[in-house]
């Protein structure tokens, strides 16, 4: 019975960014992956909204931007528009806090999708996420499996993450080195090891989560406590993409040197190997980083291979191959 402005859409793609990030890169990637007639919506954490309509999918990617919801309603979302059901809505979700815990993201995202009128049994949701956003999307899929058609992640630390452990243990040093946010959410995880207290404020965030838990632990608990939801995850199309950093050097001929990670997360963790057969596809894209301050991890959402994958998943092309 959930209804709203976008409840006429059957096909919806939701994009969730990573830790200490925003949705701008996904806004551009969704534009590149979208088909003519698709609508792209982003709302930043300040409440500012942008609406983009694809008017053509030639190499120039023609589109029209709207800043007013009223204008969008008058010109695009007309009552009785028979084309609505054939369009796809791309919704880029920006978290309230950049480093918030995945459960808080799942709860807040559900509220937002209810407000938009698209968390119902008529809508098929494809989720695309980067880095810690993958954990956030996976949590949403666990909480609302009947609404999620697929989950596609890139650069996601499914296992415990060393860098996050350091950031969680030494937040002051990490803040200076990596500009890690000092935000305190009022969300507190049930797991006491997945929390910390700073300045008499108890909270849980992305760093405490990646320090104390692998996604495998939650999945194993889910398998025991709620096998019905676990079976729904098994039916879901889940793709875990790893970005692998490489550098080219000239020694008579060009030689590529590959790393076993993307500058932040190991390929094994990105591939979610610990989740076994729950993952349907494990892909690897070679992405060149600039230096230690801008590793390959930073360029994964705008990578052409990943944008092409978004397009394939949205268009229902079953051409994915694990490598």
């Amino acid at each position: 019975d959930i209804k709203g402005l976008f409840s006429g859409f059957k096909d919806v793609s939701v994009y969730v960014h990573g830790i200490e990030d925003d949705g701008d890169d996904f806004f551009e990637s969704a534009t590149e992956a979208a088909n003519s007639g698709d609508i792209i919506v982003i709302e930043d954490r300040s409440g500012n909204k942008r609406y983009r309509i694809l008017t053509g999918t030639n190499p120039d990617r023609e589109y029209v931007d709207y800043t007013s919801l009223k204008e969008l309603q008058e010109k695009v979302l007309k009552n009785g528009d028979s084309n609505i059901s054939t369009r796809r809505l791309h919704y880029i979700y920006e978290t309230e806090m950049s480093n918030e815990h995945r459960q808080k993201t799942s709860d807040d995202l559900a509220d937002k999708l209810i407000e938009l009128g698209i968390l119902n049994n008529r809508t098929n949701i494809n989720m695309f996420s980067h880095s810690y956003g993958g954990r956030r999307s996976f949590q949403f899929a666990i909480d609302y499996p009947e609404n999620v058609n697929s989950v596609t992640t890139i650069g996601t630390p499914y296992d415990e993450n060393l860098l996050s452990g350091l950031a969680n243990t030494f937040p002051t040093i990490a803040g200076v080195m990596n500009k890690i946010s000092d935000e305190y959410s009022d969300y507190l995880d049930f797991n006491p090891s997945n929390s910390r207290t700073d300045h008499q404020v108890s909270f849980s965030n992305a760093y405490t989560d990646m320090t104390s838990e692998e996604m495998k632990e939650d999945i194993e608990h889910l398998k025991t406590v709620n096998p019905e939801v676990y079976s729904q995850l098994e039916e879901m199309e889940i793709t875990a993409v790893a970005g692998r950093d490489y550098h080219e050097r000239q020694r008579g001929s060009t030689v590529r040197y590959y790393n076993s990670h993307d500058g932040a997360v190991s390929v094994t963790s990105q591939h979610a190997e610990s989740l076994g057969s729950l993952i349907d596809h494990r892909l690897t894209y070679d992405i060149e980083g600039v230096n230690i301050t801008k590793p390959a991890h930073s360029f994964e959402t705008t990578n052409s291979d990943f944008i092409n994958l978004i397009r394939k998943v949205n268009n229902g092309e079953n051409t994915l191959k694990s490598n």
Side-chain angles (χ1 to χ4, degrees), residues 243-246 258-267 270 296 300:
R244 182 174 59 174
D245 195 8
Y246 76 88
Y258 294 95
N259 292 323
S260 60
H261 53 76
D262 63 5
V265 186
S266 73
V267 169
Q270 293 179 75
E300 287 169 341

Side-chain angles (χ1 to χ4, degrees), residues 31 34-38 40 52-57 61-64:
T31 299
N35 295 319
S36 181
D38 286 2
I40 305 170
R52 176 169 289 177
I53 314 299
L54 264 290
T55 57
T57 54
R61 311 303 297 178
E62 296 175 350
Y63 56 82
V64 177

Side-chain angles (χ1 to χ4, degrees), residues 14-132:
V14 175
Y15 303 80
V16 185
H17 61 78
I19 196 169
E20 306 301 345
D21 205 352
D22 56 36
D24 285 345
D25 283 345
F26 264 136
F27 188 59
E28 299 307 321
S29 296
T31 299
E32 288 295 314
N35 295 319
S36 181
D38 286 2
I39 298 177
I40 305 170
V41 179
I42 183 173
E43 178 180 354
D44 65 27
R45 48 181 67 102
S46 299
N48 300 314
K49 298 182 179 68
R50 285 177 284 168
Y51 308 93
R52 176 169 289 177
I53 314 299
L54 264 290
T55 57
T57 54
N58 58 29
D60 294 329
R61 311 303 297 178
E62 296 175 350
Y63 56 82
V64 177
D65 284 337
Y66 300 91
T67 56
S68 164
L69 182 57
K70 182 179 179 181
E71 186 179 19
L72 179 70
Q73 287 177 292
E74 292 175 349
K75 295 188 177 181
V76 183
L77 303 177
K78 300 175 182 177
N79 291 330
D81 186 348
S82 59
N83 293 324
I84 288 297
S85 62
T86 64
R87 299 175 186 265
R88 174 174 290 275
L89 174 67
H90 301 259
Y91 178 64
I92 292 87
Y93 180 70
E94 195 161 299
T95 59
E96 180 183 342
M97 293 184 169
S98 58
N99 65 8
E100 70 184 26
H101 188 280
R102 56 187 156 100
Q103 185 64 64
K104 176 169 170 44
T105 297
S106 178
D107 296 343
D108 291 350
L109 176 58
D111 288 341
K112 183 58 67 174
L113 295 183
I114 289 172
E115 179 184 320
L116 296 173
I118 53 177
L119 194 64
N120 53 49
N121 60 9
R122 299 182 301 278
T123 305
N124 297 313
I125 297 176
N126 289 334
M127 304 203 72
F128 300 96
S129 1
H130 176 235
S131 194
Y132 186 77

Side-chain angles (χ1 to χ4, degrees), residues 272-289:
E273 292 185 13
S274 60
L275 299 186
S277 61
L278 197 62
I279 306 299
D280 299 293
H281 309 283
R282 293 181 171 90
L283 310 177
T284 303
Y285 298 148
D286 295 331
I287 303 172
E288 185 176 12

